[in-house]
Amino acid sequence: MIQFYILIGVISLVSWLISNKLKSKFKKYSQVELRNGMSGAEIAEKMLADNGIFDVKVISTPGRLTDHYNPKDKTVNLSESVYNQRNTAAAAVAAHEVGHAVQHAKAYNYLTMRSQLVPIVSITSKFSQWLVIGGLILGAASGATGIGFYLAVSGLVFMAFATLFSFITLPVEYDASNRALAWLQSKNMVSQQELAGAKDALTWAARTYLVAALGSLAMLLFWGMRILGGRD
């Protein structure tokens, strides 16, 4: 099991480094005031209107970096700082979340696929690792045959759904950022300096999803080799 703990340690370290870098980027660009003086909420509302979307509400949600788009109730949820502040970071985040609303309105394929996987992953992610470890323990006790093996394989399949979800999330997030940046530039909402800052912030935000996807894949391959590699 030492390899497992090393893998977890490496993934956690990289994730922590990326997360810290992201926080420092948002702190930096939170100090760059927008020349147009608009708040994150106003940016979001204008981008929605410019895309002909009038059935989505922009609301404030508690916390920091809690921004998200909810397709169920059609709300762009902006953290309190993003909702109220008038800086480059707020504009980038607000436009990015509206990018998801635009994806929803245009039935973007990857967003649809991710939404369909949500109820499945919410269940499988709770049991996958327990099934894998439990199956390996039972398999070791019975010579890696019988119910232990099949239990571990079922956990591996559950884990694969989470990995698939992580990789489908990547184009969803990158596309939302691309839509956000394109709109900010085409509508002359930000200066070139502000646009560069928004792009930098969103790039680091996307890297958190990339690390999560690679970490999920690494875990899947690790357990896959332990389960399938040890079978004659």
Side-chain angles (χ1 to χ4, degrees):
M1 290 291 288
I2 186 65
Q3 301 98 325
F4 172 71
Y5 292 116
I6 292 174
L7 179 61
I8 288 292
V10 171
I11 293 172
S12 298
L13 176 60
V14 174
S15 180
W16 179 79
L17 291 172
I18 295 293
S19 178
N20 272 11
K21 188 69 173 180
L22 173 63
K23 289 176 183 178
S24 70
K25 289 291 183 180
F26 274 96
K27 182 178 180 180
K28 174 183 177 180
Y29 297 120
S30 291
Q31 298 170 355
V32 180
E33 296 296 319
L34 284 181
R35 64 174 185 177
N36 62 23
M38 295 176 69
S39 67
E42 292 168 339
I43 290 284
E45 288 166 353
K46 178 166 175 52
M47 184 172 172
L48 286 169
D50 285 351
N51 282 277
I53 301 173
F54 301 100
D55 59 346
V56 173
K57 293 182 179 180
V58 179
I59 62 176
S60 177
T61 187
R64 186 168 178 264
L65 298 179
T66 53
D67 313 88
H68 65 281
Y69 170 67
N70 189 334
K72 291 184 178 180
D73 58 10
K74 291 189 174 183
T75 56
V76 171
N77 299 263
L78 301 179
S79 58
E80 294 169 344
S81 59
V82 171
Y83 188 91
N84 294 304
Q85 291 183 7
R86 306 169 187 275
N87 52 55
T88 300
V93 173
H96 172 87
E97 298 308 332
V98 174
H100 289 308
V102 175
Q103 290 173 337
H104 190 196
K106 296 181 179 297
Y108 180 60
N109 288 336
Y110 286 107
L111 181 65
T112 301
M113 290 169 62
R114 187 175 72 169
S115 298
Q116 291 171 342
L117 279 173
V118 167
I120 298 173
V121 173
S122 65
I123 296 173
T124 58
S125 61
K126 295 177 182 178
F127 303 106
S128 60
Q129 196 159 305
W130 292 107
L131 287 172
V132 167
I133 295 174
L136 286 173
I137 292 172
L138 287 175
S142 59
T145 59
I147 190 172
F149 172 75
Y150 294 108
L151 195 64
V153 169
S154 66
L156 199 62
V157 172
F158 280 14
M159 201 173 285
F161 278 113
T163 302
L164 177 62
F165 182 84
S166 295
F167 276 92
I168 288 177
T169 293
L170 292 179
V172 173
E173 295 301 326
Y174 279 102
D175 179 78
S177 291
N178 289 338
R179 291 175 190 269
L181 293 170
W183 177 80
L184 288 170
Q185 183 175 31
S186 66
K187 297 299 181 179
N188 198 32
M189 298 299 295
V190 293
S191 66
Q192 287 302 310
Q193 180 183 2
E194 292 165 348
L195 181 67
K199 183 176 181 180
D200 189 29
L202 292 178
T203 296
W204 280 99
R207 284 171 182 165
T208 63
Y209 293 99
L210 178 60
V211 170
L214 293 176
S216 181
L217 178 61
M219 290 292 290
L220 179 65
L221 293 175
F222 173 83
W223 288 118
M225 288 187 290
R226 287 292 301 272
I227 295 167
L228 303 176
R231 185 172 174 82
D232 293 333

